[in-house]
Amino acid sequence: MMTQPGQAPSDYTLLLQQARALISGESHYLPNLANTAALLWEALSDINWCGFYLTAASGDTPAHKELILGPFQGKPACIRIPFGKGVCGTAALQDTLQLVEDVHCFPGHIACDSASASEIVIPIHGANGAVVAVLDIDSPLKARFTTADADGLTALTRLLETGCCFDFKDLT
């Protein structure tokens, strides 16, 4: 599934079929997110980080939320990101997809890897509709991600939403 720089994979339908096969029969979020990160790492060209951040409470009240590093592929990453900070925290707080063509122009960008130039982050929802995680993919190329990537990756996150049991009682 190799692509040209800046182009979406030629077949997100195939990627979704592969992801569906990987998570089939397993509802625990951890192995499903790990396998999905590995699948995306192998399938997408021109990326330098791909993985998940999971929602966790911080401080004494659940009203204080942050993202904690989950399964990923790539260089070591930031461990905790407060809601509203950086691209991932903004996606989680606003519950909106973030497609950032140039991360250096994003206010408050958190540079876990200085080689990253563009980023796409998509919220993932639990059974109650709340954001339980985000899919985060970085690229060393500016404007690497397209609306076709956004559509295909959103479909993938919806598959995870229906195929995984997100029970984070152990995350703090």
Side-chain angles (χ1 to χ4, degrees):
M1 206 185 269
M2 294 304 295
T3 62
Q4 296 299 317
Q7 297 296 312
S10 59
D11 193 351
Y12 268 109
T13 301
L14 176 60
L15 185 65
L16 284 171
Q17 289 172 346
Q18 292 169 329
R20 189 173 290 110
L22 283 172
I23 71 170
S24 178
E26 178 58 61
S27 64
H28 195 283
Y29 68 90
L30 190 58
N32 287 340
L33 297 183
N35 272 337
T36 301
L39 175 66
L40 291 170
W41 182 255
E42 292 297 321
L44 300 177
S45 66
D46 300 313
I47 62 172
N48 61 327
W49 200 90
C50 174
F52 298 91
Y53 279 93
L54 310 171
T55 300
S58 64
D60 295 334
T61 67
H64 296 95
K65 290 186 178 177
E66 65 183 0
L67 297 168
I68 188 167
L69 182 63
F72 73 94
Q73 299 283 313
K75 291 183 180 180
C78 300
I79 295 173
R80 293 181 183 268
I81 300 173
F83 268 42
K85 302 293 182 185
V87 180
C88 289
T90 299
L93 180 67
Q94 296 178 359
D95 191 6
T96 58
L97 181 144
Q98 300 290 311
L99 196 156
V100 181
E101 291 185 354
D102 184 349
V103 296
H104 304 293
C105 295
F106 189 91
H109 174 252
I110 300 169
C112 294
D113 181 350
S114 61
S116 292
S118 63
E119 187 169 2
I120 188 167
V121 180
I122 304 168
I124 300 172
H125 306 90
N128 65 357
V131 175
V132 294
V134 296
L135 168 61
D136 178 22
I137 307 175
D138 294 5
S139 172
L141 302 177
K142 286 185 180 178
R144 156 61 182 90
F145 303 104
T146 65
T147 56
D149 290 305
D151 293 344
L153 294 168
T154 296
L156 179 72
T157 62
R158 298 305 166 255
L159 174 66
L160 293 170
E161 289 173 350
T162 60
C164 297
C165 176
F166 291 98
D167 184 4
F168 295 161
K169 293 177 185 174
D170 56 335
L171 293 180
T172 56

